[in-house]
Structures are given as C-alpha cells and as structure tokens.
Amino acid sequence: VVLVVLFQKELRSALEQIGRASSTRLDRIRQGDPRVRIDMREKCISELTTAITNLSRRRVGALVVIEQQTGLKDVIESGTHIDAEISAPLIENIFEPNTPLHDGAVIVRGERIVAAACILQLTDDHSLSRELGTRHRAAIGITESTDAVSVIVSEETGIISMARDGKLTRYLDTKSLSILLTELFLPDDLPPAWLSSHSSLFGARDKKQKEDS
C-alpha cells in the first residue's frame, strides 16, 4: 500500500501507456492496418503449411476449405462451430483419426478456423479417376458451386492436392503449397518492403505460373 501511494503518479503513467499501446493495436486491426494484416496472414500461411505437411508425412487424411467471396454459412452450420486462431497443432489434432471431428471438412474464414466436421456436397464429375475418394470429390464439389479453395491430404498416399474452380492440382510439395496459400491470403496491395524481403517466394510463384501456362 505504501509503495502504491508513493509511486501512484508513475504507476498511473505506466498504465496509461499500456492502455494507449493496446488501443492503438486494436484500432489498427479494426481499420485493417496493412502491417497487422500481413503479419496475421503470414502466420496463417505458415501454420497451415506446417499442418498440411505434417499430416501428409504421417498419411493422415485432411480437408481444409478456405472461404473466399462466396459465404459458406450453410456448410459451416453442418459442422461443429469452433472460431479459433489458425494453428498447426489444432488442425493436426482435429484430423487425428478416431477423434470426434476428424471426419469432414475444416472451414477457414479470414485468419480463423470457424468450423470442423462440415459436410460437403460431392462433385457430379464422373470423369474423375476412380482412385480419388470421397474426400477429393467433396473438395472439388465445393469449388464448383463457390469460389472457395480446398486443400486435401490423401489418407492412402499422403499426396497434397488443391481444388479450385472445379479443377484439382495434385502432388504439391511444401514450397508450392506455401506459394499457393500466399496468393490466397495476402492482399494485392503489399508494401514494397515486404515484396523485396519475399522476392524469392514470388519469383518461384511467377516461374511456376509460366511453367503451367
């Protein structure tokens, strides 16, 4: 009590500084400050890449759907509401075999996981290879009716695939997955300093796009 009385001015000043710092950071997040947004989304890319790579290495089946402009409210309501930050341990735990939420899709909206064990409509494309199971057909199906993007890990082979606009890209490695997720998560108006520090990543992306074309 004596210390509080003696140093009340200093304590008040320190608390005010902490409050101002917290308020400034919250304002930046609310206003969509590019630096905060980039930091958060870089973390999402890293956590998703780590989780998918680890699941692939252990051959644990997984299906992650990343919402874009088209809302996925009906799909989200078919699963279990989560609303948690994207983290590799959480994603890996969700898809761990014989756990309550492992069967179905995880839905990502922005920088958060909003639901798990969601049910997706299967694609009607009968030309797909028979080696593609229900998980892949569901991943393609959601991208046919919406602009969502799906990332799939095969339970049988551990192969990483991505479905977009009803088309499936297979045999992704860690680097190519990171490049594709970067395109999805990071805004177009990136600061020059960030682009310069990540030139190798975008150089690899541009090279891949030229090869695909």
Side-chain angles (χ1 to χ4, degrees):
V1 173
V2 172
L3 289 173
V4 171
V5 172
L6 290 175
F7 297 101
Q8 58 180 322
K9 291 184 179 179
E10 289 82 358
L11 288 171
R12 184 183 300 112
S13 176
L15 290 172
E16 287 176 352
Q17 290 179 12
I18 293 173
R20 282 196 296 270
S22 300
S23 176
T24 300
R25 181 167 178 81
L26 286 173
D27 289 342
R28 285 180 177 177
I29 292 173
R30 294 192 189 101
Q31 296 170 7
D33 185 283
R35 290 169 296 177
V36 176
R37 188 168 76 247
I38 290 171
D39 288 344
M40 292 175 66
R41 296 201 169 191
E42 275 191 292
K43 182 176 184 294
C44 293
I45 294 166
S46 176
E47 295 292 322
L48 272 171
T49 302
T50 298
I52 295 299
T53 302
N54 289 342
L55 291 167
S56 170
R57 188 179 299 114
R58 296 193 292 123
R59 294 193 179 184
V60 174
L63 172 53
V64 178
V65 177
I66 303 169
E67 184 184 69
Q68 299 293 292
Q69 298 299 318
T70 305
L72 302 177
K73 181 180 178 182
D74 293 341
V75 175
I76 291 169
E77 290 178 348
S78 71
T80 299
H81 186 69
I82 294 180
D83 190 24
E85 289 186 3
I86 296 174
S87 72
L90 175 59
I91 294 172
E92 292 181 51
N93 189 67
I94 288 173
F95 289 113
E96 193 65 31
N98 303 318
T99 56
L101 302 179
H102 85 281
D103 193 17
V106 159
I107 309 298
V108 170
R109 172 185 288 165
E111 296 87 29
R112 301 186 71 80
I113 298 173
V114 293
C118 296
I119 301 171
L120 307 181
Q121 185 174 353
L122 304 184
T123 178
D124 294 326
D125 188 352
H126 300 292
S127 64
L128 293 174
S129 172
R130 290 186 178 182
E131 70 179 48
L132 298 178
T134 303
R135 186 175 286 111
H136 288 81
R137 295 176 184 276
I140 296 171
I142 189 67
T143 68
E144 290 174 334
S145 57
T146 72
D147 61 352
V149 177
S150 303
V151 180
I152 316 100
V153 178
S154 170
E155 186 174 348
E156 290 75 21
T157 64
I159 293 172
I160 301 172
S161 306
M162 178 176 283
R164 192 173 191 174
D165 298 325
K167 299 178 181 178
L168 187 69
T169 302
R170 306 188 68 195
Y171 302 101
L172 300 177
D173 57 15
T174 301
K175 186 174 183 179
S176 58
L177 175 65
S178 179
I179 291 171
L180 291 170
L181 290 176
T182 298
E183 293 177 347
L184 292 175
F185 276 92
L186 290 180
D188 296 330
D189 55 340
L190 292 172
W194 192 96
L195 289 171
S196 176
S197 63
H198 293 74
S199 58
S200 60
L201 177 63
F202 281 86
R205 180 197 66 178
D206 296 339
K207 180 180 179 181
K208 183 177 183 300
Q209 288 178 342
K210 289 180 180 179
E211 291 174 350
D212 291 343
S213 60

